[in-house]
Amino acid sequence: HVQLVESGGGSVQAGGSLTLSCAASGYIYTCMRWFRQAPGKEREGVASINRRDGTTYYTDSVKGRFTISRDNAKNTAYLQMNSLKPEDTAMYYCAASRGYCIAPFGNADYWGQGTQVTVS
């Protein structure tokens, strides 16, 4: 049974920080991505990381503010979000795939349930 369980969302003031976690069970991913979707907007690939070599990719709007990382021993990926802006407000989802990621966006085999991030 494959599960991706996100945690760490919440409400924060602009300029603040949050760290999201995505714990995978029953599945060893190759690539983990973080997506977000704000009300009325399309889903956006935010960041991705390859489990094997740790290569990372970011969408332009979060470069320099967000950092994706992973802990292979825990089969967990993280998204450290600093200098948060109101436009970062969205539901954040982690998504895992067997394919090697070469961009912050792409297909996924499994999705988490989402965690809300609200920046005021």
Side-chain angles (χ1 to χ4, degrees):
H1 178 59
V2 177
Q3 269 193 312
L4 299 180
V5 180
E6 296 125 335
S7 60
S11 296
V12 65
Q13 290 187 336
S17 299
L18 285 172
T19 299
L20 307 183
S21 299
C22 176
S25 60
Y27 179 75
I28 304 297
Y29 67 89
T30 298
C31 165
M32 189 72 80
R33 290 186 175 91
W34 286 97
F35 290 84
R36 65 186 179 187
Q37 188 164 21
K41 294 188 176 181
E42 291 189 356
R43 187 173 61 200
E44 173 188 30
V46 175
S48 64
I49 187 166
N50 286 301
R51 177 190 178 90
R52 183 183 72 205
D53 56 19
T55 51
T56 58
Y57 303 89
Y58 299 91
T59 193
D60 286 346
S61 62
V62 307
K63 285 180 180 176
R65 300 189 298 121
F66 290 12
T67 302
I68 189 171
S69 61
R70 91 278 192 227
D71 183 332
N72 289 348
K74 295 181 179 180
N75 211 28
T76 297
Y78 305 93
L79 186 67
Q80 172 70 42
M81 304 183 294
N82 298 326
S83 301
L84 283 161
K85 304 175 180 180
E87 50 263 44
D88 294 318
T89 296
M91 186 70 79
Y92 284 70
Y93 301 89
C94 63
S97 70
R98 295 181 180 89
Y100 188 83
C101 45
I102 57 172
F105 49 85
N107 294 327
D109 298 308
Y110 300 100
W111 290 82
Q113 81 286 356
T115 186
Q116 178 68 37
V117 171
T118 302
V119 185
S120 59

